[in-house]
Every structure is written in structure tokens, then in C-alpha cells.
Amino acid sequence: MPQARPKADDYAQALEGFLKAAGVTRCALVGHSLGGLMAAAHARRHPQRLERLLLVSPAQGYGAADRRADGARIRGERLRALHAQGLAQVADQAPARLLSASADAAARAWVRWNMAQLKEDGYGQAVELLTGDDIARYAPSPLPVTVFCGERDLATPPADCQAVAAAFNAPFHLIPGCGHACHVEAPAALADLLSAALAPSHPHTKEAHHG
């Protein structure tokens, strides 16, 4: 990103450029983790391009006034770890934070490999986004929203994701037995939930519940 400290709106504009280049005129948008913050911003800015917003373990961000102190601490910790250890060691530590204790070796290897593909500058900018923005800025959404979360998520715990669902007046579903990287640990369960949410009969809003 050209910005030193990008906000979700900046990533939303980059996403809009990608969708235009790909010839996508209408779609449902799924945002996982920090991507949920970006997706919420895109839905706010470009609702005409989207049919529905699906947030999977969305990051709240630390930009709100009552979370900025925690955000400053987390920013310092993550950037120090990046500069002192490098991405290889950060990637080695990722499975313990992003997967449940029962995740198999293949899932752990996949998360570790995927994390190692990041670029240091991009990772640093992602830290700036996490600690400098707030998903509540983009709520309520002009689109139908559904929120999901892994039952054993440590990075964005179920209570935090349920708070996001409440802010967006959206239904909330737990994905049993998995952690934050639910697309790696429980891909079939997540796919079933996304398919159900995209079904024509799926209600746009209803009381939050565990599924």
C-alpha cells in the first residue's frame, strides 16, 4: 500500500480496483480476520457492487478511543517481534495462535507456510490497520451481513465476534471445534455455513444465535 499507516478504506479502494479489473460487477464478499475490517469498509463505500457481506472471525481493530492503549501495546509488540525475529519465526509461532489445540499437523504446516509468504512491509501495514482502525466505523452496513467465528478462536474470540454481529445487527454462527483459521481447520463446515447464508431463502436479519 502507498500509505504508511493504511486504514480499511484504503484497502477497500484497492479491492474495488481489483474487482473492476477482474470484471466483477456483483458479488458476495467474504472477509476473514483483518479482511473483515476491509470488507466492511468496502461494503460501506461500494454497496452497489455487493449483494451480501459475510464476516468470518472479523477483527474489531483498536482504533476506538477505549481500545487505543491496547492497540499501542499490540503494535509495539508485533513490530518489535517482526524486526527482531523476522517473518520466519513469526510464522513458526502462528499455528499456536491461529489454530485450536486439536488441529492436525497438515493444518499447522499450512498456516506456517502461508504466514511465511507475507512481505515484511505488508505485514507492518497490516499491524497499522489492526491497531489504527475500528470496524464499528463501518456499521451498520447498507447490506445484509452474517458473522461467523471459530468456537476456539483465540485471536478474535467468540465474544468479540458476537459484539461485531450486534453492531451490524447480524446473525452470528459458531463454527464448532476450530480456531481462528477456520478455513484451514474446518473448511467443509465453513463452506456449508457460507452456502447456507447465501441461499435465497436466508433471512437478511434475525436475532443473533449460535449455529
Side-chain angles (χ1 to χ4, degrees):
M1 299 292 286
Q3 301 86 359
R5 294 187 174 184
K7 294 289 193 290
D9 268 332
D10 299 314
Y11 286 94
Q13 285 302 92
L15 173 59
E16 178 64 8
F18 171 80
L19 292 175
K20 285 181 178 179
V24 176
T25 56
R26 292 278 289 173
C27 66
L29 185 59
V30 182
H32 172 260
S33 192
L34 200 55
L37 184 49
M38 302 172 191
H42 187 276
R44 171 64 64 183
R45 184 180 283 269
H46 302 285
Q48 74 286 349
R49 194 172 296 280
L50 306 180
E51 295 178 355
R52 175 175 286 276
L53 181 61
L54 304 170
L55 303 177
V56 182
S57 292
Q60 288 181 300
Y62 292 87
D66 61 344
R67 292 169 61 86
R68 285 178 191 156
D70 285 337
R73 173 182 55 79
I74 290 169
R75 177 181 181 273
E77 290 173 354
R78 296 203 180 178
L79 293 181
R80 281 193 298 272
L82 174 64
H83 297 144
Q85 302 170 5
L87 270 175
Q89 193 164 342
V90 171
D92 282 342
Q93 298 166 356
R97 186 169 58 88
L98 301 182
L99 296 170
S100 74
S102 60
D104 62 23
R108 294 179 183 281
W110 179 248
V111 166
R112 191 179 297 110
W113 179 89
N114 194 51
M115 192 77 171
Q117 307 314 302
L118 297 176
K119 298 180 179 180
E120 289 197 5
D121 288 348
Y123 179 81
Q125 289 180 327
V127 171
E128 298 291 356
L129 171 61
L130 174 66
T131 57
D133 211 339
D134 174 24
I135 200 170
R137 290 180 54 205
Y138 309 104
S141 174
L143 301 168
V145 181
T146 308
V147 179
F148 308 87
C149 181
E151 182 183 30
R152 301 175 185 173
D153 193 330
L154 300 178
T156 56
D160 289 356
C161 291
Q162 197 159 16
V164 172
F168 282 85
N169 190 31
F172 173 71
H173 300 270
L174 278 178
I175 307 168
C178 65
H180 186 66
C182 48
H183 55 293
V184 173
E185 195 169 358
L190 177 59
D192 287 345
L193 285 168
L194 294 178
S195 295
L198 293 171
S201 60
H202 188 80
H204 286 185
T205 58
K206 61 184 177 182
E207 220 174 291
H209 66 280
H210 296 279

